[in-house]
Short mmCIF file of all heavy atoms in Angstrom, two decimals:
data_model
loop_
_atom_site.label_atom_id
_atom_site.label_comp_id
_atom_site.label_asym_id
_atom_site.label_seq_id
_atom_site.Cartn_x
_atom_site.Cartn_y
_atom_site.Cartn_z
N GLY A 8 -4.28 4.52 5.82
CA GLY A 8 -3.56 4.03 7.00
C GLY A 8 -3.75 2.54 7.19
O GLY A 8 -4.58 1.91 6.52
N ARG A 11 -3.52 -2.93 13.02
CA ARG A 11 -3.77 -4.35 13.25
C ARG A 11 -4.68 -4.50 14.47
O ARG A 11 -4.36 -4.00 15.54
CB ARG A 11 -2.43 -5.05 13.49
CG ARG A 11 -2.56 -6.54 13.58
CD ARG A 11 -1.24 -7.21 13.30
NE ARG A 11 -0.90 -7.18 11.88
CZ ARG A 11 0.32 -7.01 11.40
NH1 ARG A 11 1.33 -6.82 12.20
NH2 ARG A 11 0.53 -7.00 10.09
N LEU A 22 -12.93 -0.29 13.46
CA LEU A 22 -13.74 -0.23 12.23
C LEU A 22 -14.82 0.85 12.28
O LEU A 22 -15.43 1.15 11.25
CB LEU A 22 -14.38 -1.61 11.95
CG LEU A 22 -13.42 -2.67 11.43
CD1 LEU A 22 -14.09 -4.04 11.38
CD2 LEU A 22 -12.88 -2.30 10.04
N TYR A 30 -9.37 -5.76 6.56
CA TYR A 30 -8.35 -6.21 5.61
C TYR A 30 -7.95 -7.63 6.02
O TYR A 30 -7.51 -7.85 7.14
CB TYR A 30 -7.14 -5.25 5.71
CG TYR A 30 -5.92 -5.68 4.94
CD1 TYR A 30 -5.75 -5.32 3.61
CD2 TYR A 30 -4.92 -6.45 5.54
CE1 TYR A 30 -4.63 -5.71 2.90
CE2 TYR A 30 -3.80 -6.84 4.84
CZ TYR A 30 -3.65 -6.47 3.52
OH TYR A 30 -2.55 -6.86 2.82
N GLY A 32 -6.79 -11.14 3.47
CA GLY A 32 -5.65 -11.51 2.63
C GLY A 32 -5.18 -10.37 1.74
O GLY A 32 -4.05 -10.36 1.26
N GLY A 33 -6.06 -9.43 1.46
CA GLY A 33 -5.70 -8.27 0.63
C GLY A 33 -5.73 -8.55 -0.85
O GLY A 33 -5.49 -7.65 -1.66
N ILE A 56 -7.54 -7.84 10.12
CA ILE A 56 -8.35 -8.66 11.04
C ILE A 56 -7.75 -10.04 11.27
O ILE A 56 -8.35 -10.88 11.92
CB ILE A 56 -9.79 -8.83 10.48
CG1 ILE A 56 -9.77 -9.51 9.10
CG2 ILE A 56 -10.50 -7.47 10.39
CD1 ILE A 56 -11.15 -9.87 8.57
N ILE A 59 -7.72 -12.01 14.75
CA ILE A 59 -8.93 -12.26 15.56
C ILE A 59 -9.12 -13.76 15.77
O ILE A 59 -9.38 -14.50 14.82
CB ILE A 59 -10.19 -11.69 14.84
CG1 ILE A 59 -10.06 -10.18 14.65
CG2 ILE A 59 -11.45 -12.02 15.60
CD1 ILE A 59 -11.24 -9.59 13.90
N GLY A 70 -23.05 -31.10 14.86
CA GLY A 70 -23.61 -31.37 13.53
C GLY A 70 -23.27 -30.33 12.48
O GLY A 70 -23.69 -30.43 11.32
N SER A 78 -9.96 -18.59 7.16
CA SER A 78 -9.42 -19.78 6.47
C SER A 78 -9.09 -19.37 5.03
O SER A 78 -9.94 -18.79 4.33
CB SER A 78 -10.46 -20.90 6.43
OG SER A 78 -10.89 -21.22 7.73
N PRO A 94 -17.39 -31.31 0.39
CA PRO A 94 -16.44 -31.44 -0.73
C PRO A 94 -16.51 -30.29 -1.73
O PRO A 94 -15.47 -29.89 -2.26
CB PRO A 94 -16.82 -32.77 -1.39
CG PRO A 94 -17.84 -33.41 -0.54
CD PRO A 94 -18.23 -32.50 0.58
N ARG A 109 -3.99 -18.47 -3.29
CA ARG A 109 -4.77 -19.37 -2.42
C ARG A 109 -4.23 -19.35 -0.99
O ARG A 109 -4.96 -19.59 -0.05
CB ARG A 109 -4.77 -20.80 -2.96
CG ARG A 109 -5.60 -20.97 -4.22
CD ARG A 109 -5.93 -22.43 -4.47
NE ARG A 109 -4.81 -23.20 -4.93
CZ ARG A 109 -4.51 -23.41 -6.20
NH1 ARG A 109 -5.25 -22.86 -7.16
NH2 ARG A 109 -3.47 -24.15 -6.54
N CYS A 119 -17.22 -11.18 0.61
CA CYS A 119 -17.46 -9.73 0.68
C CYS A 119 -17.15 -8.99 -0.60
O CYS A 119 -17.40 -7.79 -0.69
CB CYS A 119 -16.64 -9.11 1.81
SG CYS A 119 -17.26 -9.60 3.40
N THR A 120 -16.55 -9.67 -1.57
CA THR A 120 -16.24 -8.97 -2.83
C THR A 120 -17.36 -9.23 -3.81
O THR A 120 -17.53 -10.36 -4.27
CB THR A 120 -14.92 -9.51 -3.42
OG1 THR A 120 -13.95 -9.49 -2.40
CG2 THR A 120 -14.46 -8.67 -4.58
N VAL A 127 -15.54 -19.79 -3.84
CA VAL A 127 -15.88 -20.25 -2.49
C VAL A 127 -17.32 -19.82 -2.15
O VAL A 127 -18.11 -20.58 -1.58
CB VAL A 127 -14.84 -19.70 -1.47
CG1 VAL A 127 -15.36 -19.73 -0.05
CG2 VAL A 127 -13.54 -20.50 -1.60
N ALA A 128 -17.68 -18.59 -2.54
CA ALA A 128 -19.03 -18.10 -2.27
C ALA A 128 -20.07 -18.99 -2.96
O ALA A 128 -21.13 -19.28 -2.39
CB ALA A 128 -19.16 -16.65 -2.76
N VAL A 151 -26.10 -17.23 3.70
CA VAL A 151 -25.12 -16.70 2.74
C VAL A 151 -25.84 -16.03 1.57
O VAL A 151 -25.37 -15.01 1.05
CB VAL A 151 -24.12 -17.80 2.31
CG1 VAL A 151 -24.70 -18.76 1.31
CG2 VAL A 151 -22.87 -17.19 1.76
N LEU A 155 -24.83 -11.96 -0.38
CA LEU A 155 -24.07 -11.86 -1.64
C LEU A 155 -24.62 -10.74 -2.50
O LEU A 155 -25.83 -10.51 -2.53
CB LEU A 155 -24.13 -13.18 -2.41
CG LEU A 155 -23.36 -14.34 -1.77
CD1 LEU A 155 -23.52 -15.60 -2.62
CD2 LEU A 155 -21.88 -14.01 -1.63
N HIS A 221 -35.10 -22.94 -10.25
CA HIS A 221 -35.77 -23.67 -11.33
C HIS A 221 -34.91 -24.85 -11.79
O HIS A 221 -35.43 -25.93 -12.08
CB HIS A 221 -36.07 -22.73 -12.51
CG HIS A 221 -37.13 -21.72 -12.19
ND1 HIS A 221 -36.85 -20.52 -11.58
CD2 HIS A 221 -38.48 -21.75 -12.36
CE1 HIS A 221 -37.97 -19.85 -11.41
NE2 HIS A 221 -38.97 -20.58 -11.86
N ARG A 224 -35.42 -27.72 -9.42
CA ARG A 224 -36.65 -28.50 -9.68
C ARG A 224 -36.46 -29.38 -10.91
O ARG A 224 -36.85 -30.54 -10.92
CB ARG A 224 -37.83 -27.55 -9.88
CG ARG A 224 -38.60 -27.31 -8.57
CD ARG A 224 -40.01 -26.82 -8.82
NE ARG A 224 -40.03 -25.53 -9.51
CZ ARG A 224 -39.77 -24.36 -8.89
NH1 ARG A 224 -39.51 -24.33 -7.60
NH2 ARG A 224 -39.79 -23.24 -9.57
N GLU A 228 -36.95 -33.35 -11.02
CA GLU A 228 -38.07 -33.91 -11.79
C GLU A 228 -37.62 -34.51 -13.13
O GLU A 228 -38.41 -35.08 -13.85
CB GLU A 228 -39.12 -32.82 -12.05
CG GLU A 228 -39.80 -32.37 -10.75
CD GLU A 228 -40.60 -31.08 -10.93
OE1 GLU A 228 -40.68 -30.55 -12.06
OE2 GLU A 228 -41.14 -30.60 -9.91
N HIS A 238 -35.22 -19.37 -16.55
CA HIS A 238 -36.04 -18.70 -15.52
C HIS A 238 -35.19 -18.25 -14.33
O HIS A 238 -35.65 -17.47 -13.50
CB HIS A 238 -37.14 -19.64 -15.03
CG HIS A 238 -38.12 -20.02 -16.10
ND1 HIS A 238 -39.08 -19.16 -16.56
CD2 HIS A 238 -38.26 -21.16 -16.81
CE1 HIS A 238 -39.78 -19.75 -17.51
NE2 HIS A 238 -39.30 -20.98 -17.68
N PRO A 242 -27.76 -14.62 -18.41
CA PRO A 242 -26.31 -14.40 -18.40
C PRO A 242 -25.88 -13.28 -19.33
O PRO A 242 -26.53 -13.04 -20.36
CB PRO A 242 -25.76 -15.75 -18.89
CG PRO A 242 -26.85 -16.73 -18.75
CD PRO A 242 -28.13 -15.96 -18.86
N ALA A 259 -23.74 -28.11 -18.66
CA ALA A 259 -22.70 -29.14 -18.67
C ALA A 259 -22.06 -29.29 -17.29
O ALA A 259 -21.85 -30.41 -16.80
CB ALA A 259 -21.64 -28.80 -19.72
N ILE A 268 -21.39 -36.49 -7.80
CA ILE A 268 -22.01 -36.70 -6.48
C ILE A 268 -22.60 -38.11 -6.43
O ILE A 268 -22.41 -38.85 -5.46
CB ILE A 268 -23.13 -35.67 -6.22
CG1 ILE A 268 -22.52 -34.30 -5.98
CG2 ILE A 268 -23.97 -36.07 -5.01
CD1 ILE A 268 -23.54 -33.18 -5.89
N ASP A 269 -23.30 -38.48 -7.49
CA ASP A 269 -23.98 -39.77 -7.48
C ASP A 269 -23.00 -40.94 -7.59
O ASP A 269 -23.32 -42.04 -7.20
CB ASP A 269 -25.04 -39.83 -8.60
CG ASP A 269 -26.19 -38.88 -8.27
OD1 ASP A 269 -26.27 -38.42 -7.11
OD2 ASP A 269 -27.01 -38.59 -9.16
#
Side-chain angles (χ1 to χ4, degrees):
R11 187 159 285 143
L22 286 171
Y30 172 89
I56 60 172
I59 299 177
S78 304
R109 289 198 287 267
C119 290
T120 310
V127 161
V151 77
L155 291 179
H221 291 86
R224 266 201 297 283
E228 293 166 3
H238 296 286
I268 289 172
D269 291 347

